[in-house]
């Protein structure tokens, strides 16, 4: 499977996902092809260094995304986007009635 096919598959799945877990997996699927593209020239030092840097920064950003998803799950008990939207919309109306 070519790199562009993997990226397109991840983008297509991202459009249809409605859960934070599947959104995370789709973003990671898209980034794998970019990791491969950045390391295409194996004999070049700058290509290898940039690929390693990109991989490490991708891992760090992946940790932040997972931390955000974990905090949302810890506070709401949900990972579904529709469920979290309903919780947020109910809490805003509740705060409006308190004031």
């Amino acid at each position: 499977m070519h790199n562009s096919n993997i990226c397109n598959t991840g983008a297509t799945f991202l459009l249809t996902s409605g859960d934070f877990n599947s959104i995370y997996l789709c973003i990671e699927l898209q980034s794998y092809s970019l990791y491969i593209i950045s390391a295409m020239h194996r004999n070049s030092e700058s290509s290898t260094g940039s690929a390693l840097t990109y991989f490490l920064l991708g891992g760090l950003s992946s940790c932040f995304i997972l931390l955000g998803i974990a905090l949302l799950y810890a506070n709401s008990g949900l990972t579904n986007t529709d469920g979290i939207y309903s919780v947020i919309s109910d809490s805003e109306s509740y705060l409006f009635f308190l004031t």
Side-chain angles (χ1 to χ4, degrees), residues 69-80 84 87:
I69 292 172
L71 289 174
L72 281 172
Y73 180 72
N75 287 324
S76 66
L78 302 168
T79 58
N80 192 354
I84 290 177
V87 167

Side-chain angles (χ1 to χ4, degrees), residues 5-6 8 45 65 70 72 81 89-90:
N5 290 342
I6 294 171
N8 290 336
E45 257 184 62
I65 291 171
L72 281 172
T81 55
S89 63
D90 288 342

Side-chain angles (χ1 to χ4, degrees), residues 16-63:
T16 60
S17 62
D19 192 64
F20 282 124
N21 297 329
S22 61
I23 289 172
Y24 170 74
L25 289 176
C26 293
I27 290 172
E28 287 299 312
L29 184 63
Q30 284 182 325
S31 67
Y32 287 144
S33 64
L34 297 175
Y35 294 150
I36 293 169
I37 288 172
S38 67
M40 279 274 204
H41 301 287
R42 294 182 185 178
N43 296 332
S44 172
E45 257 184 62
S46 62
S47 174
T48 306
S50 64
L52 181 63
T53 304
Y54 184 58
F55 179 71
L56 291 175
L57 288 175
L60 181 67
S61 65
S62 178
C63 289

